[in-house]
Amino acid sequence: MDDLRALYQEVILDHYKRPRHFGALEEANRRAEGTNPLCGDQITVYAKVEDGVIRDVSFEGMGCAISTASASLMTEALSGKTLEEAARMHSVFHRLLTAGDEVPDIEGLGKLEVLAGVRDFPVRIKCATLAWHALRAALEQSDEPVTTE
Amino acid sequence: MTATPTIDGSQPVSAAPTLDVEAVRREFPILERLIGKARLVYLDNAASTQRPLAVLDAERDFETHAYSNVHRGVHTLSQEATEAYEGARERVRRFLGAADAREVIFLRGTTEAINLVAQSYGRAEVSAGDNMVVSEMEHHSNIVPWQMLCQERGAELRVLPMDDDGELILEELDRLLDERTRIVAVGAVSNALGTINPIAEIARRVHDAGAVLVVDGAQAVPHQQVDVQAMGADFFAFSAHKVYGPSGVGALWGRRELLEAMPPWQGGGSMIQSVRFDQTTYAPLPAKFEAGTPEIVGAVGLAAALDFVDRWGMEAISAHETRLLERACAQLDDLPGVRRIGNARRRASVLSFLLDGIHAHDVGTLLDRDGIAVRAGHHCAQPVMQHYGVASTTRASFGIYNTEEEVDRLVEAVRRTQEFFA
């Protein structure tokens, strides 16, 4: 059960059961959907962007513990960040999930580090990245729904 | 001799023989596999069944001693390979209760078989303003090829609804059928719910309306005796890998007069009589629909799989799986926070369920840590998920080698999953 506890850390279960920034954002000026075709999960990410800064961000949709917690933690981490900071964090987060045996440089990731355990469950990596893919589409103002494929 | 239950359920299971499951399990070395520290409990049979030694050995033996291309050479190996391949076709004919082996077309599987019917029969017979019917509980492979056909031809795709137990509402079929209905496509057994559909009854209504019935038999072949003529199908498709055979091979059966009249699907070698630049003539059945070198070894493996199934007896297999299903349902129903999806009166051994507040993917991950392989997702039947207002379910599906102890391990692991997320 140890690796399960590493995957489903308390912080993750907490964000799964009580997701933060959950629900549509009325003043959003960016919005995108993400779909995980593997399980049929759908998520919508909303963002309010002004002067290159993410003033507010939220999400809604059904998902597993990993995708919900990842989305919730993402919204916490990105509120108030510049677009450049958000892009950097996305790439660092991606590195966290895809690093092999070497210790990845994840400086500045903060609480998102709790998702490191997903690394050992390759089929679940897409769950953890779903919200991030949707967010990137939102920030790029793509009108197309995105998927994790 | 007791009557074997037919796929349409017209005869009940009666005094079915018991199955020596321990002897069955000895034929499947993969069942000894450890997942982490736990012994594998393989409950993903509706996705793919495991293959017994009889199948693995038959393939290896053929590859080691008799392999070559079929239908061409005059040399010994080619003759032997052709005999094995055509022998497999005859084996499938017997398994399906078909009248003529020429009605059996070897293809990659159920999906390819349905696409063949859609693109050959469908394109020839469906015109703008026509309509066809699929059921709400179909696998995507029995929806999307028809959507593509209908879009191309300007035809209407109608949906036969199901009720909340997961049974088709047959009265609605009569309302949907009219003189412009060309095709009805229905699965014999639902892969997401386990529902056994009353194919013979559906066939009568479809034929009264002058349409043809395409049966997706993928989930039916491992569970029940199939008789394509008795059930009244016009086309029947299945895959070897659902019935203890290899992946990458399956068959389409079609009524001969329909297949004869249909245009070829793919062009290439083997499917021709003669090729000239001013005119090519096509081979007779079944070669007309088998362009290119087929999956020869797979066909041999499929024949061995059908022999395996017959050796243990479909009646005994079906009764065994039903016992496992009933045991699992009863135990899960006793656990609070478990909701089973699909409660049709006649079901094959497929069990879909939800756990309150726990996503199917998380259930799948936790069960895997206990060595239990289940499916978590939409099972390529998203309209079924939409019917129940969920994105996904956890699905356990039982096969010939599963045991009551494994059912108990499943239930215990579900209970622990609930504790973990409590």
Side-chain angles (χ1 to χ4, degrees):
Chain A
M1 292 294 261
D2 287 353
D3 54 345
L4 282 179
R5 285 290 168 208
L7 176 66
Y8 294 105
Q9 301 208 10
E10 283 305 323
V11 177
I12 290 176
L13 293 178
D14 176 47
H15 278 259
Y16 174 44
K17 290 170 187 166
R18 297 186 304 119
R20 324 295 200 265
H21 303 268
F22 189 82
L25 188 65
E26 277 183 19
E27 60 272 29
N29 56 4
R30 308 286 171 89
R31 173 184 180 278
E33 280 178 17
T35 302
N36 185 345
L38 193 65
C39 54
D41 285 347
Q42 268 198 331
I43 194 173
T44 306
V45 171
Y46 303 85
K48 184 188 181 193
V49 179
E50 276 176 351
D51 307 326
V53 175
I54 301 170
R55 301 285 180 204
D56 205 353
V57 55
S58 77
F59 78 102
E60 63 182 353
M62 291 197 282
C64 63
I66 305 302
S67 73
T68 304
S70 179
S72 175
L73 287 161
M74 178 190 81
T75 58
E76 271 196 338
L78 294 184
S79 291
K81 294 283 193 297
T82 66
L83 295 178
E84 289 73 28
E85 287 168 334
R88 184 184 163 278
M89 202 171 254
H90 187 176
S91 66
V92 174
F93 182 67
H94 190 258
R95 208 180 302 149
L96 173 78
L97 297 184
T98 54
D101 291 335
E102 80 278 18
V103 179
D105 174 12
I106 50 166
E107 166 107 26
L109 210 48
K111 231 199 253 181
L112 285 162
E113 279 188 45
V114 298
L115 286 156
V118 177
R119 234 179 359 222
D120 299 324
F121 294 79
V123 294
R124 304 301 301 275
I125 289 174
K126 286 178 177 180
C127 307
T129 56
L130 178 60
W132 290 86
H133 284 293
L135 177 82
R136 183 158 70 185
L139 296 183
E140 288 169 357
Q141 280 206 302
S142 159
D143 291 333
E144 296 289 312
V146 295
T147 81
T148 54
E149 290 302 288
Chain B
M1 193 183 139
T2 43
T4 306
T6 55
I7 196 162
D8 57 314
S10 54
Q11 295 163 45
V13 183
S14 56
T18 53
L19 194 70
D20 183 352
V21 183
E22 286 313 309
V24 170
R25 291 179 69 85
R26 284 195 288 276
E27 298 197 46
F28 291 85
I30 200 169
L31 299 176
E32 301 295 319
R33 173 78 207 266
L34 295 180
I35 305 295
K37 288 175 188 156
R39 206 192 68 231
L40 169 68
V41 175
Y42 188 77
L43 301 180
D44 196 17
N45 295 290
S48 261
T49 46
Q50 296 295 342
R51 287 172 286 166
L53 285 173
V55 169
L56 302 173
D57 289 347
E59 291 193 0
R60 188 176 163 80
D61 189 53
F62 174 73
E63 286 177 302
T64 309
H65 301 293
Y67 174 78
S68 92
N69 210 327
V70 291
H71 297 148
R72 316 211 206 300
V74 293
H75 58 76
T76 301
L77 284 188
S78 182
Q79 289 177 44
E80 289 181 10
T82 301
E83 276 169 30
Y85 183 68
E86 291 306 319
R89 195 189 309 280
E90 167 58 23
R91 187 66 190 84
V92 171
R93 180 206 67 75
R94 192 148 54 85
F95 179 73
L96 296 178
D100 190 330
R102 287 170 294 181
E103 296 174 324
V104 175
I105 317 293
F106 280 126
L107 296 160
R108 270 167 51 219
T110 309
T111 298
E112 190 170 65
I114 294 170
N115 275 278
L116 188 160
V117 178
Q119 291 178 34
S120 173
Y121 183 85
R123 279 180 171 160
E125 297 295 328
V126 177
S127 324
D130 287 343
N131 66 74
M132 63 163 294
V133 179
V134 299
S135 96
E136 190 182 357
M137 70 173 76
E138 295 313 304
H139 187 285
H140 296 164
S141 62
N142 205 22
I143 298 174
V144 183
W146 305 116
Q147 278 180 323
M148 292 162 66
L149 171 70
C150 287
Q151 274 164 14
E152 181 190 304
R153 308 312 278 186
E156 181 194 353
L157 185 67
R158 298 176 175 178
V159 180
L160 172 61
M162 64 178 187
D163 61 24
D164 291 344
D165 281 336
E167 292 193 9
L168 294 177
I169 305 172
L170 288 194
E171 304 74 59
E172 291 291 313
L173 180 59
D174 295 332
R175 198 178 54 78
L176 293 171
L177 293 168
D178 60 30
E179 71 283 354
R180 298 298 299 268
T181 308
R182 296 288 171 256
I183 301 169
V184 176
V186 177
V189 172
S190 159
N191 76 308
L193 303 169
T195 308
I196 298 173
N197 286 317
I199 294 298
E201 175 58 30
I202 291 169
R204 273 192 290 278
R205 296 176 191 229
V206 169
H207 292 151
D208 284 350
V212 301
L213 177 63
V214 181
V215 176
D216 171 353
Q219 296 294 336
V221 287
H223 298 298
Q224 290 198 289
Q225 191 77 41
V226 173
D227 185 328
V228 291
Q229 299 190 84
M231 80 172 74
D234 296 294
F235 297 97
F236 184 95
F238 78 98
S239 302
H241 72 100
K242 308 277 196 205
V243 60
Y244 310 103
S247 60
V249 69
L252 170 71
W253 169 86
R255 280 204 292 120
R256 190 169 152 198
E257 57 271 32
L258 295 175
L259 292 172
E260 299 268 18
M262 282 158 58
W265 179 38
Q266 294 179 333
S270 297
M271 52 77 73
I272 51 89
Q273 194 109 356
S274 76
V275 176
R276 297 162 54 102
F277 281 113
D278 58 351
Q279 192 187 15
T280 288
T281 52
Y282 303 120
L285 293 174
K288 182 170 89 172
F289 292 109
E290 291 183 6
T293 296
E295 172 48 312
I296 304 164
V297 179
V300 170
L302 169 56
L306 300 182
D307 285 344
F308 163 81
V309 166
D310 274 2
R311 178 153 53 78
W312 290 106
M314 192 58 95
E315 202 180 350
I317 295 169
S318 174
H320 170 67
E321 292 173 351
T322 300
R323 276 194 294 272
L324 297 178
L325 178 70
E326 285 171 352
R327 185 181 183 92
C329 288
Q331 293 193 32
L332 285 182
D333 287 348
D334 278 347
L335 286 184
V338 179
R339 178 183 162 208
R340 284 196 293 105
I341 299 288
N343 205 24
R345 281 162 294 181
R346 302 199 62 243
R347 272 177 295 150
S349 57
V350 170
L351 200 175
S352 255
F353 61 95
L354 303 168
L355 301 185
D356 286 350
I358 313 174
H359 190 280
H361 251 174
D362 298 313
V363 178
T365 292
L366 264 80
L367 295 189
D368 181 57
R369 291 291 125 166
D370 280 337
I372 301 172
V374 295
R375 201 71 161 180
H378 50 60
H379 317 299
C380 294
Q382 285 189 311
V384 172
M385 302 297 115
Q386 287 149 17
H387 180 101
Y388 291 101
V390 299
S392 54
T393 70
T394 304
R395 181 188 72 187
S397 49
F398 307 103
I400 184 172
Y401 34 63
N402 291 124
T403 64
E404 298 189 346
E405 184 230 328
E406 289 181 321
V407 170
D408 298 348
R409 273 183 64 190
L410 167 71
V411 175
E412 173 59 18
V414 166
R415 208 184 50 71
R416 281 165 32 151
T417 299
Q418 291 179 309
E419 267 173 27
F420 187 89
F421 281 97

